Amino acid sequence: MNRDSETMKERSIFDILNESFAAFGKGFREYVLISLMVFAPANLITFLGPRTSLQQYVSDGSIPGSAVIFYIAVAIVTLVSTTAVWSASSVATGQQMVTGNINIKDCFQRVSWRIYSLFFLSFVLTICLALGLIGIALIIPAVASLFFLLMASFALPVALYERKKYTSALIRSFQLVKVNWIRILGAMSLIVLIMLGITVLISTPTLFMASPVAGGVSMLALVIQYFLSLVANTVAVVISAVAVTLIYFDTRVRIEGFDEGQLSSEIGYQT
């Protein structure tokens, strides 16, 4: 990340991945603080849920109404907290490229400027992902959902950096992605695989914490799950935000000659 040069160079997919981990390491403290400020309180909802595991409910063939409400609440809290951390981490990436530092307050302030658009876009992307995975047996709906997900993959960075509302952000994302969609598809697929691998690796111990006899989850298991989920969420969400943001920058460099002067202007800093 050379701040002395006005021109941002084009990067290969592997250069972007390497730079993503380097950026995470350089701003490790700030990225972790961004994550913990949101995920630490949000993940406390784990302790409010039923002590019976979801797997046990599924095997029993019925889920109580209170459990359904709980899992809906978890889904909403997860969506909101993930969107907030991802968006703030994306802004932090731009700050780090321009100034070499991360101002956490400024990150969340920028997120607050487009809070409704960001949550709406995140909800739309989540629905598309769910439809793509659930409807995998129905080829056409699954392909359509995943295609929309790819074309809208820059919507959040567009809303954050170019200050566009949700509809304009989606249109702008489609315009950017369609120019080189094969390259972006490869990059996004690689990011998803890496993040899934990291999440599974960190979260694996939680698979063995439900009691095979009573089907319940002990308080100790919940505490361990809580801390493991914090680590998994921090690594997966932050690094994916950094990587996607860098791909977004790189795409604009290739198409528009995007440079650090423009980036500095968009985030409100002067180099």
Side-chain angles (χ1 to χ4, degrees), residues 38 73 90 125:
V38 179
S90 176
L125 294 175

Coordinates of all heavy atoms in Angstrom, one line a residue, residues 38 73 90 125:
V38 N -19.0 -4.9 18.1 CA -20.3 -5.3 17.6 C -20.6 -6.7 18.0 O -21.7 -7.0 18.6 CB -20.4 -5.1 16.1 CG1 -21.7 -5.5 15.6 CG2 -20.1 -3.6 15.7
A73 N -34.8 -14.3 15.9 CA -34.0 -13.2 16.5 C -32.5 -13.3 16.2 O -31.9 -12.3 16.0 CB -34.3 -13.1 18.0
S90 N -14.6 -2.4 5.8 CA -14.3 -2.0 4.5 C -13.8 -0.5 4.4 O -12.9 -0.2 3.7 CB -15.6 -2.1 3.6 OG -15.5 -1.6 2.3
L125 N -28.7 -9.5 -0.4 CA -27.6 -10.4 -0.7 C -27.8 -11.7 0.1 O -27.5 -12.8 -0.5 CB -26.3 -9.8 -0.4 CG -25.9 -8.6 -1.3 CD1 -24.6 -7.9 -0.8 CD2 -25.8 -9.0 -2.8

